[in-house]
Amino acid sequence: MEGLKECIARPEAAPAPEPGALDEALARYGWCMPLRLLRARTTGVEDPLWRALAPWRAASSLCQQQPAAADFTAFSSDDLIERFLREEDLRIVAQEGDASDDDVVMEARLDDDDRLVSEELAAIYLAQGLRSEAAAIYRELSLRNPEKSVYFAELIAQVENK
């Protein structure tokens, strides 16, 4: 039975089983459809029970032919991409006048009005003893985040009272 398990699991690698062994296994395990398929593949005679049940069951992977390894290595990844693009024509090509170089911003542009403020910067100012700068940062954060104004008001009070 071990040899039959190997034939069912890897039919391309295992040696073909004896037809008598298959018949004996089917007499004992008549419900085992992979055994019936293996017997049909080995003898070349289609199993009547397999044929009768085939329309009501999903296609078995045992019926499919194993792909050759050369099929997977025949094309490089560039060949596959080019073939896909030829078949589907999914290239994205910019047309004249669609976009200019001015639309692409590679660096942040800060005006004099745009100050960099964060709670971390305020904490750094506090660690350095710069309380007025930290309070100014918290005030700016309070204006930018009105939903957290109570939180920042408490922080400002703590900074000014120390």
Side-chain angles (χ1 to χ4, degrees):
M1 188 69 180
E2 289 300 319
L4 294 177
K5 288 181 185 176
E6 185 68 25
C7 287
I8 291 171
R10 294 185 303 156
E12 72 283 348
E18 296 291 324
L22 283 171
D23 290 336
E24 181 182 317
L26 276 173
R28 187 169 181 190
Y29 306 105
W31 48 266
C32 185
M33 289 299 162
L35 278 176
R36 292 185 175 280
L37 181 62
L38 187 60
R39 182 177 68 176
R41 185 183 292 169
T42 311
T43 61
V45 178
E46 190 171 310
D47 186 85
L49 185 58
W50 180 265
R51 179 188 283 178
L53 294 177
W56 288 280
R57 48 184 294 130
S60 172
S61 61
L62 296 173
C63 294
Q64 297 174 351
Q65 221 174 20
Q66 295 294 324
D71 294 343
F72 294 108
T73 58
F75 299 105
S76 70
S77 59
D78 292 334
D79 294 337
L80 290 174
I81 292 170
E82 285 301 317
R83 189 174 79 188
F84 173 77
L85 291 175
R86 273 195 314 270
E87 289 175 1
E88 297 295 323
D89 194 26
L90 298 174
R91 295 177 193 269
I92 300 173
V93 180
Q95 297 177 355
E96 267 319 296
D98 276 354
S100 65
D101 293 336
D102 296 336
D103 294 339
V104 179
V105 177
M106 299 302 284
E107 296 176 1
R109 296 180 186 154
L110 299 176
D111 297 336
D112 291 336
D113 298 335
D114 294 334
R115 289 187 38 208
L116 297 174
V117 292
S118 69
E119 290 186 60
E120 290 82 14
L121 182 58
I124 291 170
Y125 283 153
L126 282 176
Q128 294 174 349
L130 303 171
R131 296 189 187 290
S132 61
E133 286 83 356
I137 296 269
Y138 286 136
R139 283 188 193 92
E140 181 71 27
L141 286 170
S142 177
L143 291 174
R144 290 186 183 186
N145 303 306
E147 67 276 1
K148 295 174 78 177
S149 61
V150 173
Y151 168 71
F152 289 121
E154 290 175 3
L155 290 175
I156 293 168
Q158 287 176 1
V159 168
E160 291 176 346
N161 289 337
K162 284 191 178 181

